Amino acid sequence: MCHKKVKTISILFGLVISSVFCMSETLYYLDGYSHIDMKEAKVQHCPKGSSIDASINGHVLTVTFSENLGDVQIDITTASGGAVSYGHIWTPDSYIAYITNTGDYVVTITLGNGDEYYGEFEVTD
C-alpha cells in the first residue's frame, strides 16, 4: 500500500513540475509584450478598428486582423516620419515586421476603402 502512495505522489509531483516549466516558458515569451492601441486616423465607413490587434514584443511588431478587410497596406515609420517598412497583406491574417533600431515608431494601416488607423509604439532593448 505504501509503495502505491509513493508512486502516486511521484507522478503528481512530476505533473506539477512540468506545468511550472510550461508556464515559465509562456511568461518568458511574453516578457517584452506590449499591446499597441490602434486609433482612427480617417474613417469614412463603418469603423473596423476592433478587428485590428497590434503588439510589440522586443523588436518584433505583430499586426493581426480578425476579419476580412481585403487588401490592407501597412506602413511603419519613425515618430518623426522617416520610412522604416511597408507591405500589403490580404486579411484575415497576420503581418510581422522586425524593427532593427530602438526608438519611437508609428504603424499606419490603410484599408482598401481609404480608411486609416494608426498606433504609436516604442522599441527598447
Side-chain angles (χ1 to χ4, degrees):
M1 182 76 169
C2 186
H3 178 42
K4 193 173 186 178
K5 284 184 180 180
V6 170
K7 184 176 178 182
T8 303
I9 290 173
S10 296
I11 291 171
L12 290 174
F13 182 73
L15 290 172
V16 169
I17 293 297
S18 63
S19 297
V20 168
F21 284 121
C22 289
M23 287 172 45
S24 67
E25 180 66 28
T26 301
L27 292 175
Y28 172 75
Y29 175 73
L30 297 174
D31 187 36
Y33 173 87
S34 293
H35 175 75
I36 299 171
D37 186 31
M38 297 302 294
K39 301 172 184 108
E40 297 176 358
K42 52 181 187 179
V43 176
Q44 302 170 11
H45 302 86
C46 180
K48 299 292 184 178
S50 63
S51 63
I52 303 169
D53 183 50
S55 63
I56 188 76
N57 189 355
H59 288 260
V60 178
L61 171 70
T62 304
V63 182
T64 303
F65 300 90
S66 61
E67 73 176 270
N68 185 353
L69 301 175
D71 182 29
V72 173
Q73 175 157 343
I74 300 174
D75 295 299
I76 304 167
T77 59
T78 62
S80 60
V84 175
S85 177
Y86 67 92
H88 283 268
I89 186 171
W90 282 95
T91 60
D93 206 346
S94 294
Y95 179 84
I96 299 173
Y98 184 82
I99 312 296
T100 307
N101 298 319
T102 59
D104 296 322
Y105 294 89
V106 177
V107 58
T108 304
I109 297 166
T110 307
L111 307 184
N113 64 12
D115 289 355
E116 284 185 7
Y117 300 87
Y118 73 97
E120 301 166 321
F121 64 97
E122 181 181 9
V123 175
T124 59
D125 274 336

